[in-house]
Amino acid sequence: MDWQDVQIKRGVRQRTASREPPADLGLLAREDRELLAAWVRKDNLSRSREALLKEDGGSSIERADALCDWLLREGWITRKERLQGGIWHWDTLTWRDLDRLKSLLGVGSRSQRDEARSQRLEQAHAWLSTLEQETDAELRARVAQAIEQLQRETSLRVDILITRLDLLTSLLDWCREEMEGTRRDFALFAGEHTKAISAADWKWLEKSFDLESLGVTRFLPVIWLAGDAQLVWGERVMDLSPLRYIAIPLEDVKRVTAIKAHPEHWWLIENRASFERQAGQRPPGELMAWLPGRPSKDWLDTVRTLLRLAPAPLRVSADADPAGIDIARTVGALWTSQGLDWEPFRMGLDEWNAVSQKWPLNDHDVVLLQRLLADTDLPDSMKKLGLAMLSEGRKAEQEGWL
């Protein structure tokens, strides 16, 4: 780190980072944002350590010192330090751009908060418009919807707005780099520690995205299996047949060396309740797996491992909606790459017509459906289903019939 140090007198210096204050606060933890907001409420350009500790809102001295260190590194402050016992201790800080810092934190007048909000949303829309075309179309659409939702919530605090917009950037970076891991892993990727994302922000992410399909799992990612098969790890064997179904960590499944009692068919079922129901009455020769929505790359790689050891045709059952068709096509491509046949199963016109569900297609559904129907490799049954959905403007969930 490059510092600009000015010696005031023996054992006393003024330290500043060589860099200019950044354009934003990054993914600063909520607790740190709240503490920093308390520190900048007054218009004093310089604050003593003693005065700031009185306004810490119950935060620890360690958190206050860590925040001050971060402000110094990021270029937001100049700090006066004294040498005591061979260690430099700070006793005063001076803000380098207090007005902009207050604006980013949403501290100040209503007009200042509105300006900060408007500026950050403009930046978000500009960023969205620059996303590469190779970025997954549905993910881009979900990100756009999340930004629009944040824009509608005019009462949302500016610091929360900024945090959530930054989370969108981190989530897209995570997907671009094809990362896989737990929520703790993503929090560490997006912030400075594994608890950098608050419970409220996790709930917001859950409402906007299928995190599991993007490789962000609550716990160690697993695959749910059922059927007449025996998984072999060297000399150790696990028989699936006595069990209704079982969850096995993906990393363990990737180490399977052989599968005994090869299935006649694979059957992947998207809806969890439907999978559990069918697993309890599965026919002989069937190897089943729960298809967790839009499967992550790690999940697909795991299925690819099993498929090489137990090649068999695929039946895939997903919701009778545009996303379901896309999901079926995605896993079907995996079977095609192995030279194996696949077919949509119990997700066609008959099932769609038989249910009373009248869930309307949204704009994203229509765009996705038009893209899918342009695919010349799409099975005829799925084309017929897609055209019917587009004609009547409705979709259905497989739990209604499977």
Side-chain angles (χ1 to χ4, degrees):
M1 186 76 189
D2 293 331
W3 303 109
Q4 294 177 354
D5 291 339
V6 176
Q7 297 298 322
I8 299 175
K9 60 181 181 180
R10 184 179 178 83
V12 180
R13 73 184 181 189
Q14 186 171 279
R15 167 161 283 198
T16 310
S18 298
R19 63 183 295 178
E20 293 297 315
D24 55 52
L25 296 177
L27 196 62
L28 191 62
R30 179 185 297 276
E31 297 87 347
D32 290 329
R33 283 183 181 272
E34 292 175 350
L35 178 56
L36 184 53
W39 284 5
V40 302
R41 290 192 195 283
K42 295 183 179 180
D43 293 326
N44 310 49
L45 288 179
S46 295
R47 304 296 306 276
S48 70
R49 183 173 187 272
E50 181 181 3
L52 291 174
L53 290 177
K54 290 179 180 178
E55 298 177 5
D56 65 1
S59 298
S60 66
I61 294 176
E62 291 78 7
R63 176 176 287 278
D65 283 337
L67 177 58
C68 187
D69 290 342
W70 180 85
L71 290 167
L72 181 66
R73 290 194 307 272
E74 292 295 303
W76 285 109
I77 64 172
T78 292
R79 199 163 73 177
K80 183 180 176 182
E81 303 175 344
R82 297 181 183 276
L83 187 62
Q84 299 174 349
I87 299 176
W88 289 97
H89 298 271
W90 69 280
D91 59 15
T92 306
L93 63 78
T94 301
W95 305 111
R96 296 178 65 187
D97 194 341
L98 181 59
D99 288 342
R100 186 153 62 91
L101 186 56
K102 292 177 73 169
S103 177
L104 289 172
L105 289 164
V107 176
S109 65
R110 176 63 180 270
S111 61
Q112 288 175 321
R113 291 196 297 272
D114 289 345
E115 182 181 356
R117 172 185 173 82
S118 176
Q119 181 181 17
R120 192 60 183 85
L121 284 167
E122 286 179 10
Q123 292 173 354
H125 284 294
W127 165 73
L128 185 63
S129 67
T130 63
L131 294 182
E132 298 91 339
Q133 288 303 309
E134 59 265 27
T135 302
D136 181 76
E138 181 174 0
L139 181 57
R140 283 205 315 272
R142 295 290 183 188
V143 170
Q145 290 173 3
I147 293 175
E148 291 171 3
Q149 178 257 326
L150 289 171
Q151 190 161 8
R152 289 193 297 270
E153 294 186 10
T154 56
S155 62
L156 194 67
R157 280 175 21 207
V158 177
D159 61 318
I160 298 177
L161 170 71
I162 292 171
T163 293
R164 293 180 178 178
L165 289 173
D166 288 341
L167 282 172
L168 293 180
T169 304
S170 295
L171 186 60
L172 202 62
D173 288 342
W174 172 275
C175 294
R176 281 171 172 165
E177 296 180 26
E178 298 185 344
M179 300 285 288
E180 304 274 353
T182 65
R183 293 192 176 199
R184 289 170 61 86
D185 295 323
F186 176 70
L188 190 60
F189 176 86
E192 294 185 346
H193 51 79
T194 58
K195 297 183 179 179
I197 303 176
S198 70
D201 289 334
W202 276 122
K203 288 181 179 179
W204 174 76
L205 281 172
E206 289 171 356
K207 290 180 180 178
S208 303
F209 300 93
D210 180 0
L211 294 176
E212 296 281 334
S213 70
L214 299 180
V216 183
T217 61
R218 284 186 175 274
F219 304 104
L220 197 65
V222 300
I223 184 170
W224 292 84
L225 296 172
D228 297 324
Q230 297 171 332
L231 307 185
V232 180
W233 289 266
E235 297 182 355
R236 298 184 180 272
V237 179
M238 182 172 71
D239 192 351
L240 301 180
S241 57
L243 308 172
R244 182 163 185 159
Y245 50 79
I246 188 171
I248 310 174
L250 298 184
E251 59 187 40
D252 292 337
V253 176
K254 288 180 180 179
R255 294 187 292 104
V256 170
T257 56
I259 296 179
K260 295 182 178 180
H262 284 191
E264 296 176 9
H265 284 93
W266 279 82
W267 189 9
L268 303 185
I269 300 177
E270 178 189 3
N271 185 277
R272 177 62 181 271
S274 297
F275 166 75
E276 293 182 357
R277 188 180 302 122
Q278 297 304 318
Q281 54 192 33
R282 64 180 182 268
E286 203 90 52
L287 183 53
M288 302 173 61
W290 173 48
L291 175 57
R294 293 190 179 278
S296 69
K297 179 179 180 298
D298 204 19
W299 190 91
L300 288 171
D301 287 344
T302 303
V303 172
R304 183 180 288 108
T305 297
L306 295 174
L307 190 55
R308 287 170 180 164
L309 298 172
L314 168 68
R315 295 170 177 165
V316 56
S317 302
D319 289 336
D321 65 4
I325 293 177
D326 199 21
I327 290 168
R329 188 186 65 158
T330 298
V331 294
L334 179 57
W335 261 253
T336 300
S337 70
Q338 302 297 311
L340 297 167
D341 294 331
W342 73 278
E343 63 175 346
F345 183 59
R346 298 187 66 180
M347 59 172 294
L349 274 177
D350 290 343
E351 288 79 13
W352 181 75
N353 280 321
V355 296
S356 59
Q357 298 167 354
K358 303 293 182 182
W359 295 340
L361 299 178
N362 56 39
D363 292 341
H364 171 69
D365 288 330
V366 173
V367 171
L368 176 58
L369 203 48
Q370 290 171 337
R371 179 166 61 84
L372 292 169
L373 290 172
D375 181 2
T376 56
D377 293 328
L378 195 67
D380 288 341
S381 62
M382 297 180 107
K383 286 184 179 179
K384 292 177 181 178
L385 175 62
L387 289 170
M389 284 193 285
L390 201 58
S391 174
E392 295 191 21
R394 68 178 178 90
K395 55 189 177 182
E397 186 183 62
Q398 72 176 185
E399 191 178 5
W401 63 84
L402 188 61

